[in-house]
Amino acid sequence: MIEQLLCKNIADAIKSIYQTEVDLSSISLQKTRKEFEGDFTFAVFPYLKITKKSPEQTSNDIGQYLKDVLDEVNDFNVIKGFLNIVIKKSYWLSFLNQNINNKSFGFNPVKKSTPVMVEYSSPNTNKPLHLGHIRNNLLGWSVAEILKANGENVLKVNLVNDRGIHICKSMLAWKIWGNMETPQSSGLKGDHLAGKYYVLFDKNYKKEVEELVAKGYDKEVAEKQAPLMLEAQKMLRLWEAKDEDVLKLWNRMNAWVYEGFDVTYKTMGIDFDKTYYESNTYLLGKSIVEKGFNENKLIQKEDNSIWADLTGEGLDEKLLLRSDGTSVYMTQDLGTAHQRHEEYKPSKMIYVVGNEQNYHFDVLKLVLKKLGYDWSDSIYHLSYGMVELPEGKMKSREGTVVDADLLIAEMIETARQTAFELGKIDDFESEAAIKLYHTIALGALKYFILKVDPQKNMMFNPKESIDFNGNTGPFIQYTHARIKSLLNKADNVISNHVDVNINIVEKEKNLLQLIHEYPAVINQAAESLSPALISNYIYELAKEYNGFYQEIPIFKEENMELRDFRIALSYFVSNIIKSAMGLLGISVPDKM
RNA sequence: GGUUCCGUAGCUCAGUUGGAUAGAGCAACAGCCUUCUAAGCUGUGGGCCAUUGGUUCGAAUCCAAUCGGAAUCACCA
């Protein structure tokens, strides 16, 4: 690409004019700001110590060198210490010619063999997915796709938390009050059915606790002594003892939940290469902890429990094995990480997990390091903040969890109503129309969530997300559909070659520059694991295109070569929008 | 209290490895439908980049302190 060429020649210029070698990687260019003439800008300030000349003189020297040496450089200008380099329009046009038919433009063709693992979703099987899972799923899936586009060999992994006291609570409530209810008999999605009984358990459990408190029990004691809780704990023990009846119920109920999850995943367009179940992995980790203890890397307390001492690293001590020898969450995670490393030797293990577990992952990495596993650095916690709705915070503790299925259904309904109000569609119940509402609703949701920096807590405003103006998914879908319909009218005139001598206007050159940037954007998004970078890029591209070609009708153009160019450019832009939106998991309709 | 993250227009958010006069959208206001789709486009107003110091040619960006907000600090997962 032209940037590298310019950087290399700038280094050559400094060497030839000032007789000093500079490190090529230290030279960087930026896009020239709109208010100045030029395509790329080089700031000379850091090199003044070498050149021993004024910023202006230095810029002029280097600019002149580039102009003399490089055919692609048309001209240059200097403002203060900024060297603005003007690239010939013919370069941009030949770039268009070279890449227009490349369907995977921007994607790295070199495929790496070392796998990168991305773990996301990680649901509990006692309740349906909620808004937090939506952000998790979208982020994980999108990051995986971006890495793939960049040539990584990605393994998408889900770790289902299918065991523990929580699922026992659902099972117990179902046994007591369920009347043998099934998804078929109740018409409920399997995960919602389990969730219903989890809530039922909680309600009755709280009632029991209140009754005990009224009888004079201490609240803490009451919480432990409530009959329902004792019963649930008994069930967990039976499960661990592989009691036949409990296992049967557990299998049955989990199967319902998985069916429900699959529907939600499918609706969202989320998939996995591999699913792990905690019931298979919860005993892992003990051996590496014991090994670490034998090697004197861990400490033991009087009650025989085993701990990692992280006080030297500025953290506390962390329990790894209980006094009865059973493992805790951390032990399991140590085990699964170890197992995955043994199995795949991934160059990176990315865990998409909410920021409430930042501390957990800090500890995880430190303990692994302490135990002598040098691959602990390959673990990366992709942490994300909470999603809130305008109505208020969504926290499970406050009981205002926003259900994922419900939210998606509401988004689809909003899309339907908007189309109806605007009179956009003739047959509102046709298959095509229903598919379109679905596409728009999901596009709105995904785009809005992915465009925000993961680290930040965010506000999801459903109404704003589905607006067709502004930085939204539907706006980009709309732009794509418009380009497609335009190209449809022109399909007999699409040429795969554009005359490099035609005159193009500034805005068209801006579009070409933006397209030119696309591979770098994907690369950077992969490096920083940031779908937000992609969405901001597409918006800029779509806006630039939409604004411009709304004003300049392509088919009015009498100059056939210019018209061909504009059609070719439109074609390229629509392809990039489609491919970039694909990385966010958003489909773009050809017609809407 | 310790640790981590966040603080940019009334609201929701961008802001590339430190670069030129701080960017969008929404909301407000003023225009644009005989062209390809107005689910759109164009324009106007709106800022102590939380505060204060430091680092340097240059700071929203890096460092320190302070003030606000969030998360976390379990023999839960």
Side-chain angles (χ1 to χ4, degrees):
Chain A
M1 286 275 179
I2 188 94
E3 289 97 319
Q4 284 92 324
L5 188 68
L6 287 170
C7 288
K8 190 189 167 296
N9 279 279
I10 288 170
D12 290 347
I14 294 172
K15 192 180 167 195
S16 113
I17 305 170
Y18 308 107
Q19 290 82 42
T20 309
E21 291 263 8
V22 293
D23 188 9
L24 187 58
S25 61
S26 74
I27 296 176
S28 68
L29 293 176
Q30 47 196 300
K31 252 170 80 176
T32 303
R33 292 180 70 110
K34 274 196 178 144
E35 55 274 31
F36 302 106
E37 196 202 346
D39 298 291
F40 299 101
T41 297
F42 176 63
V44 300
F45 302 104
Y47 303 93
L48 296 182
K49 277 178 193 153
I50 294 172
T51 68
K52 300 201 174 75
K53 288 192 179 156
S54 71
E56 290 79 5
Q57 187 59 47
T58 307
S59 304
N60 272 308
D61 290 349
I62 297 173
Q64 192 59 48
Y65 179 96
L66 293 176
K67 194 178 169 184
D68 291 344
V69 169
L70 288 177
D71 201 32
E72 290 85 350
V73 174
N74 189 40
D75 204 356
F76 69 94
N77 63 77
V78 175
I79 296 163
K80 292 189 245 171
F82 295 95
L83 169 63
N84 298 322
I85 303 159
V86 185
I87 303 296
K88 281 184 183 153
K89 281 184 179 166
S90 60
Y91 169 81
W92 298 114
L93 288 168
S94 66
F95 157 77
L96 175 65
N97 278 329
Q98 275 166 31
N99 294 291
I100 186 151
N101 286 318
N102 179 3
K103 279 281 177 194
S104 55
F105 172 72
F107 289 21
N108 191 336
V110 182
K111 299 289 171 213
K112 295 177 190 162
S113 57
T114 317
V116 171
M117 188 176 273
V118 185
E119 181 194 298
Y120 59 98
S121 202
S122 315
N124 289 353
T125 55
N126 62 322
K127 49 191 172 200
L129 304 178
H130 56 74
L131 184 49
H133 288 113
I134 292 183
R135 193 175 196 184
N136 183 311
N137 291 341
L138 298 181
L139 249 182
W141 191 89
S142 178
V143 161
E145 292 303 311
I146 291 168
L147 288 170
K148 273 192 208 169
N150 215 35
E152 301 287 355
N153 174 14
V154 179
L155 199 65
K156 294 186 260 190
V157 162
N158 193 0
L159 174 61
V160 181
N161 183 6
D162 60 344
R163 65 161 285 280
I165 192 77
H166 52 86
I167 181 68
C168 288
K169 290 176 181 175
S170 289
M171 283 157 64
L172 184 62
W174 184 85
K175 249 177 100 176
I176 301 173
W177 300 289
N179 271 331
M180 302 305 282
E181 192 174 50
T182 66
Q184 287 75 30
S185 75
S186 66
L188 280 173
K189 239 171 120 249
D191 49 339
H192 288 259
L193 186 72
K196 173 180 158 186
Y197 286 102
Y198 185 78
V199 171
L200 203 57
F201 175 95
D202 208 49
K203 222 172 91 187
N204 285 286
Y205 166 63
K206 275 186 183 140
K207 212 194 283 169
E208 284 184 358
V209 172
E210 273 172 35
E211 281 166 12
L212 288 175
V213 170
K215 280 185 196 161
Y217 282 83
D218 214 43
K219 197 178 175 204
E220 268 181 40
V221 177
E223 278 170 358
K224 283 182 184 155
Q225 296 293 315
L228 274 171
M229 182 55 87
L230 293 176
E231 197 62 28
Q233 278 163 351
K234 188 177 151 201
M235 203 176 218
L236 182 61
R237 282 195 298 276
L238 284 170
W239 182 89
E240 287 185 1
K242 300 195 181 0
D243 177 272
E244 207 175 307
D245 285 344
V246 172
L247 277 183
K248 211 171 144 193
L249 176 58
W250 176 74
N251 275 318
R252 193 174 178 207
M253 211 148 177
N254 273 345
W256 294 341
V257 172
Y258 298 144
E259 258 175 53
F261 283 170
D262 283 347
V263 171
T264 309
Y265 286 144
K266 203 174 169 204
T267 308
M268 291 182 70
I270 300 299
D271 60 358
F272 303 93
D273 298 315
K274 181 160 184 166
T275 302
Y276 290 93
Y277 297 91
E278 209 168 281
S279 51
N280 294 327
T281 62
Y282 82 106
L283 295 173
L284 286 174
K286 276 172 80 165
S287 61
I288 65 169
V289 169
E290 280 157 5
K291 183 167 169 275
F293 176 65
N294 290 333
E295 291 166 0
N296 287 323
K297 290 167 179 162
L298 303 172
I299 54 173
Q300 188 165 38
K301 297 211 169 171
E302 311 79 53
D303 62 354
N304 289 332
S305 56
I306 295 187
W307 299 69
D309 180 9
L310 301 174
T311 47
E313 283 84 1
L315 301 177
D316 285 333
E317 294 179 336
K318 183 76 192 175
L319 177 86
L320 297 180
L321 284 180
R322 296 190 183 100
S323 50
D324 61 4
T326 57
S327 59
V328 293
Y329 175 46
M330 181 60 71
T331 326
Q332 295 170 38
D333 252 15
L334 290 169
T336 51
H338 179 75
Q339 189 195 38
R340 287 171 186 183
H341 182 262
E342 290 296 300
E343 201 174 347
Y344 296 103
K345 298 266 186 299
S347 60
K348 231 182 202 174
M349 290 197 258
I350 298 165
Y351 290 77
V352 182
V353 179
N355 62 8
E356 69 273 9
Q357 292 198 33
N358 286 352
Y359 181 73
H360 173 80
F361 280 95
D362 286 347
V363 172
L364 180 69
K365 292 183 71 163
L366 281 175
V367 173
L368 282 170
K369 190 164 264 180
K370 211 173 190 62
L371 293 175
Y373 300 107
D374 55 359
W375 48 265
S376 67
D377 286 333
S378 68
I379 290 181
Y380 182 84
H381 176 205
L382 179 48
S383 158
Y384 61 89
M386 214 164 21
V387 186
E388 291 167 17
L389 286 179
E391 301 93 71
K393 295 185 178 184
M394 65 137 275
K395 274 188 190 167
S396 51
R397 244 175 275 151
E398 290 165 15
T400 52
V401 177
V402 180
D403 179 71
D405 295 317
L406 187 66
L407 179 69
I408 292 171
E410 280 172 4
M411 295 287 293
I412 293 172
E413 178 53 24
T414 309
R416 198 181 77 90
Q417 277 193 5
T418 315
F420 179 74
E421 280 160 18
L422 294 167
K424 286 289 156 188
I425 293 169
D426 300 328
D427 180 4
F428 284 88
E429 305 309 328
S430 74
E431 211 173 298
I434 288 167
K435 198 177 161 203
L436 185 62
Y437 310 143
H438 190 276
T439 306
I440 291 173
L442 264 293
L445 176 66
K446 290 181 177 185
Y447 188 88
F448 198 94
I449 286 183
L450 287 174
K451 78 173 176 165
V452 180
D453 177 8
Q455 211 154 27
K456 292 182 175 173
N457 288 352
M458 69 171 292
M459 174 80 73
F460 175 66
N461 185 333
K463 222 177 122 192
E464 196 178 314
S465 77
I466 213 160
D467 197 337
F468 284 77
N469 291 305
N471 191 356
T472 66
F475 169 76
I476 294 161
Q477 290 173 321
Y478 168 75
T479 304
H480 179 266
R482 254 196 63 216
I483 300 176
K484 276 293 178 190
S485 103
L486 182 156
L487 290 173
N488 221 12
K489 294 202 172 181
D491 54 12
N492 52 345
V493 285
I494 290 181
S495 63
N496 33 18
H497 192 78
V498 166
D499 185 346
V500 292
N501 292 316
I502 59 165
N503 247 332
I504 56 176
V505 299
E506 192 65 16
K507 287 195 174 188
E508 286 164 333
K509 207 198 71 187
N510 288 346
L511 272 173
L512 276 168
Q513 272 197 54
L514 272 171
I515 294 170
H516 186 263
E517 258 181 67
Y518 184 52
V521 171
I522 293 186
N523 193 279
Q524 210 182 328
E527 259 167 42
S528 53
L529 303 177
S530 167
L533 228 51
I534 302 271
S535 55
N536 283 308
Y537 169 81
I538 318 172
Y539 177 60
E540 204 180 329
L541 183 67
K543 194 173 130 85
E544 186 84 20
Y545 181 90
N546 210 359
F548 182 51
Y549 280 123
Q550 185 118 13
E551 285 185 334
I552 313 276
I554 291 176
F555 293 107
K556 273 256 172 144
E557 183 54 60
E558 313 235 317
N559 176 341
M560 290 307 279
E561 260 128 35
L562 187 53
R563 183 171 130 160
D564 275 7
F565 161 74
R566 288 182 173 165
I567 288 167
L569 191 59
S570 302
Y571 178 73
F572 208 163
V573 168
S574 72
N575 278 347
I576 288 193
I577 289 179
K578 191 169 185 175
S579 115
M581 289 289 266
L583 296 179
L584 305 179
I586 301 172
S587 49
V588 280
D590 285 354
K591 226 179 124 183
M592 63 190 281

